[in-house]
Amino acid sequence: MVVIGVGLLPDLDLARRSGFATGNGIVVDEYCQTSVDDVFAAGDIAHHPNYFLGRRIRVEHWQNAQHQGTAAARNMLGQQKPFREVPWAWSDQYEHNLQIVGLPGPTERVVVRGDATTRNFSAFFVRDGRVAAALAVNRPEDVRVARLIIQHGTEVTEAHLGDVDTPLGELVVRRA
């Protein structure tokens, strides 16, 4: 059976009455397994641990639902492969493309690359010398590279992030 739910705030009444652990959604582990044996959850309802962010999140975006659903299916089949993905979302608003990767928090330092006045810029949210998130307007390549920087835990300097003459791809360093 497949249950599909759509909405901004999850209605968790049925899940709670059925004995599922809940938080900001139905709590799942890194394999999309719920607290109820042999029941998996994925997509907008799944409150999952995010390896890259070091905390539980719930993501409402079609790509997350698609990728996490695939991971849940693999794990239902016994493959035991954790779902590990840096959150990403995008939207086209008229002629502008907006993308975000990671989840910015209130304490990160913001480094701007490009020109916000012309709506062609990226804002990098930096914590402890590492990119925690990036928001881009009309700079999709910056988000693609920022996602790799986050995945690899690359240490960066704010000067390099903000310098449009420094190719972002040169900043990606893989974890040892």
Side-chain angles (χ1 to χ4, degrees):
M1 176 190 323
V2 174
V3 178
I4 298 174
V6 178
L8 186 58
L9 296 175
D11 184 347
L12 298 170
D13 289 340
L14 177 61
R16 287 185 187 117
R17 285 183 284 145
S18 299
F20 289 85
T22 61
N24 181 20
I26 295 175
V27 173
V28 298
D29 65 13
E30 65 185 335
Y31 304 102
C32 305
Q33 171 73 51
T34 69
S35 60
V36 176
D37 287 343
D38 299 323
V39 178
F40 294 74
D44 294 8
I45 195 67
H47 191 206
H48 69 279
N50 185 280
Y51 173 81
F52 299 102
L53 302 178
R55 60 185 164 128
R56 289 189 162 277
I57 62 171
R58 187 173 62 82
V59 178
E60 297 174 359
H61 188 260
W62 67 266
Q63 182 178 346
N64 178 74
Q66 183 179 47
H67 292 185
Q68 196 174 42
T70 299
R74 285 186 184 125
N75 290 319
M76 284 181 225
L77 296 170
Q79 292 184 15
Q80 287 301 101
K81 292 175 89 174
F83 175 70
R84 290 189 176 166
E85 192 166 286
V86 177
W88 168 78
W90 63 272
S91 178
D92 286 328
Q93 299 295 315
Y94 300 98
E95 70 273 15
H96 302 293
N97 175 259
L98 301 115
Q99 295 192 33
I100 188 166
V101 63
L103 288 177
T107 60
E108 281 99 13
R109 293 183 44 83
V110 178
V111 178
V112 176
R113 179 185 189 93
D115 185 0
T117 62
T118 63
R119 295 188 179 120
N120 188 317
F121 72 96
S122 296
F124 295 89
F125 299 82
V126 180
R127 180 183 337 117
D128 300 327
R130 300 186 194 284
V131 175
L135 167 72
V137 177
N138 298 319
R139 293 179 74 102
E141 182 64 18
D142 286 3
V143 170
R144 188 189 69 73
V145 176
R147 185 178 199 157
L148 292 173
I149 290 170
I150 294 168
Q151 282 176 335
H152 299 301
T154 302
E155 288 190 44
V156 295
T157 66
E158 293 180 16
H160 285 130
L161 283 175
D163 180 6
V164 295
D165 292 326
T166 299
L168 281 178
E170 291 180 5
L171 303 181
V172 178
V173 177
R174 298 181 187 274
R175 289 183 200 192

